[in-house]
Amino acid sequence: MYQLNLGSLSVTDFLQQYWQKKPLLIKAGFKHFTDPLTADELAGLALEDDIESRIVSCIDKQWDMQTGPFEDFSVFGEQNWTLLVQAVDHWHPEAAKLLDPFRFIPNWRIDDLMVSFSTPGGGVGPHLDQYDVFIIQGEGKRHWRVGMPDRSLQQLCPHPRLLQVSPFQDCIDVITEPGDILYIPPGCPHEGISLENSLNYSVGFRAPAQKDLLTGLVDHLIDHDINGERFSDAGRSIASSVGAISENDLAKVQQLLQQLLADQAMLPHWFGSLITRAKHELDINEPEPHYGSDEIAEYLDEGSVLSRTGGLRCCYYQQAADSDILLFINGDQITLPADELHTARLLCDYTELLSEQNRHFCQSPQRTMLLTNLINQGYWYFSE
Ligand code: SIN
Ligand code: CO
């Protein structure tokens, strides 16, 4: 278990003073840090088709970026390159535990764990990210510089698939050692150059753009065959130019759209489903043959431990204590009765369910059936 050590700051202080506001170096954020995986294991993940990986290198000032899967790393030499593997939490349960200390931010805001291995001189160059990130230093040392957002910075594109920024003024300049953590809000320029072979773990967050939100809403309308209200214009006056789109008509179109967005009843349905959809492949192993609910009840009774598949996104929404609960798992919605809040919390708040917690699922046939279905879909599995 990784325990976050913010020094003299409380989590509340951190949220008030730094979250989305300014970068922070958390020296020895994880005391006595041990890497959950080795560079060799990371290289092994980058061999897989289903796992997104890339190598960024800079040789003689020439930047390059190649996407995986990779078979042979020796062609990249001993220095000046970085291997980056996305969504490692989906494939490596030990590495996934690195997300847990940051779960003071809700599930839906957490994105994935990206892990990088850099050789001496390796890095992706000075750049900005659109999302908050905690970068944890694993084995090795890296020279990091972080600055505040600066509109005068120019976007540079030293390679068609690499976006960097012009030189920036730093407010943090540090050599990170194992267990040190950098918090970097969106838009803060940063650059990490490895001093030796080094592992870095990036806990990334999701912040949907308006485009993503509208896409989620439209998907919901299509999936549920909802046309909504249609444009109407009773009381129209004579058009002075039939070719023109009038301000008045545009205002009505805008109003029609705003009505749809203001629909409070629809909002949690489409948002919950949108935000729990996985962006990266999941390591789903459907049990074959499927379990019967009596078998599941027996396992739970014997004290088995259940783990949630890495990267599975689970959230719930309950408007009031007497309203139904909307449970969202991997983009699907399940409706639970109002008094099943504890069931929703167990499934969404914990990545591992211990035997005492599992007893709850044996207390009603509906709960056992719900859990049986989730296990049969490969979403939860018996880990002990
Ligand atoms: C890295 O680990 O090399 C990249 C992390 C980042 O700058 O976002
Ligand atoms: Co970055």
Side-chain angles (χ1 to χ4, degrees), residues 82 84 114 116 124 127 129 135 142 144 190 200 202:
T82 301
L84 304 110
M114 195 266 286
S116 69
V124 299
H127 68 281
D129 294 311
I135 302 181
R142 203 160 175 189
W144 281 97
H190 54 283
N200 281 89
S202 294

Side-chain angles (χ1 to χ4, degrees), residues 93-163:
E94 278 310 305
K97 291 192 178 140
L98 273 177
L99 297 177
D100 294 339
F102 303 98
R103 290 194 188 276
F104 51 88
I105 304 287
N107 287 356
W108 75 263
R109 278 284 268 135
I110 297 181
D111 194 4
D112 72 342
L113 180 76
M114 195 266 286
V115 185
S116 69
F117 167 75
S118 316
T119 54
V124 299
H127 68 281
L128 307 174
D129 294 311
Q130 302 299 321
Y131 312 99
D132 307 83
V133 65
F134 288 96
I135 302 181
I136 304 153
Q137 179 67 50
E139 72 170 44
K141 287 186 184 159
R142 203 160 175 189
H143 179 195
W144 281 97
R145 290 176 54 251
V146 188
M148 286 299 284
D150 177 355
R151 284 176 176 276
S152 71
L153 293 181
Q154 281 157 21
Q155 293 271 18
L156 307 174
C157 198
H159 178 275
R161 289 187 292 175
L162 271 181
L163 218 48

Side-chain angles (χ1 to χ4, degrees), residues 252-269:
K252 279 194 167 138
V253 168
Q254 192 171 37
Q255 209 180 17
L256 194 61
L257 279 174
Q258 278 164 348
Q259 247 176 43
L260 189 68
L261 294 177
D263 187 335
Q264 296 278 2
M266 204 157 67
L267 177 68
H269 296 270

Side-chain angles (χ1 to χ4, degrees), residues 27-299:
K27 200 73 194 138
F30 291 129
K31 288 198 169 127
H32 316 293
F33 184 77
T34 46
D35 287 88
L37 49 59
T38 61
D40 277 348
E41 276 178 277
L42 189 69
L45 292 177
L47 300 175
E48 303 288 335
D49 283 329
D50 285 342
I51 304 183
E52 199 181 307
S53 59
R54 64 207 145 104
I55 287 184
V56 177
S57 59
C58 183
I59 293 165
D60 297 332
K61 298 199 176 142
Q62 195 65 45
W63 287 94
D64 190 25
M65 205 271 257
Q66 296 186 28
T67 45
F70 297 98
E71 275 179 10
D72 180 11
F73 294 91
S74 63
V75 293
F76 296 100
E78 304 274 303
Q79 51 185 26
N80 301 330
W81 59 271
T82 301
L83 163 69
L84 304 110
V85 183
Q86 219 62 50
V88 171
D89 54 314
H90 293 206
W91 305 96
H92 198 289
E94 278 310 305
K97 291 192 178 140
L98 273 177
L99 297 177
D100 294 339
F102 303 98
R103 290 194 188 276
F104 51 88
I105 304 287
N107 287 356
W108 75 263
R109 278 284 268 135
I110 297 181
D111 194 4
D112 72 342
L113 180 76
M114 195 266 286
V115 185
S116 69
F117 167 75
S118 316
T119 54
V124 299
H127 68 281
L128 307 174
D129 294 311
Q130 302 299 321
Y131 312 99
D132 307 83
V133 65
F134 288 96
I135 302 181
I136 304 153
Q137 179 67 50
E139 72 170 44
K141 287 186 184 159
R142 203 160 175 189
H143 179 195
W144 281 97
R145 290 176 54 251
V146 188
M148 286 299 284
D150 177 355
R151 284 176 176 276
S152 71
L153 293 181
Q154 281 157 21
Q155 293 271 18
L156 307 174
C157 198
H159 178 275
R161 289 187 292 175
L162 271 181
L163 218 48
Q164 297 184 348
V165 287
S166 50
F168 62 88
Q169 177 79 47
D170 59 56
C171 56
I172 294 177
D173 181 342
V174 65
I175 290 172
T176 49
E177 296 173 309
D180 291 347
I181 305 173
L182 278 168
Y183 164 67
I184 307 176
C188 288
H190 54 283
E191 178 175 27
I193 302 173
S194 258
L195 302 180
E196 47 193 67
N197 283 352
S198 153
L199 282 167
N200 281 89
Y201 305 87
S202 294
V203 176
F205 290 82
R206 269 194 195 189
Q210 286 169 320
K211 183 181 92 176
D212 307 322
L213 293 173
L214 283 177
T215 308
L217 171 57
V218 171
D219 283 348
H220 180 84
L221 297 178
I222 294 171
D223 290 349
H224 296 85
D225 206 15
I226 303 170
N227 284 321
E229 300 284 317
R230 201 166 275 278
F231 181 86
S232 65
D233 54 358
R236 178 179 276 290
S237 44
I238 301 172
S240 54
S241 159
V242 291
I245 297 171
S246 70
E247 288 302 338
N248 207 11
D249 282 350
L250 271 187
K252 279 194 167 138
V253 168
Q254 192 171 37
Q255 209 180 17
L256 194 61
L257 279 174
Q258 278 164 348
Q259 247 176 43
L260 189 68
L261 294 177
D263 187 335
Q264 296 278 2
M266 204 157 67
L267 177 68
H269 296 270
W270 66 259
F271 181 71
S273 162
L274 166 80
I275 214 67
T276 54
R277 263 174 239 154
K279 270 204 242 157
H280 299 274
E281 201 75 33
L282 291 166
D283 186 18
I284 300 269
N285 294 299
E286 239 188 71
E288 202 48 66
H290 279 186
Y291 291 102
S293 57
D294 45 341
E295 284 175 280
I296 295 293
E298 224 171 275
Y299 284 125

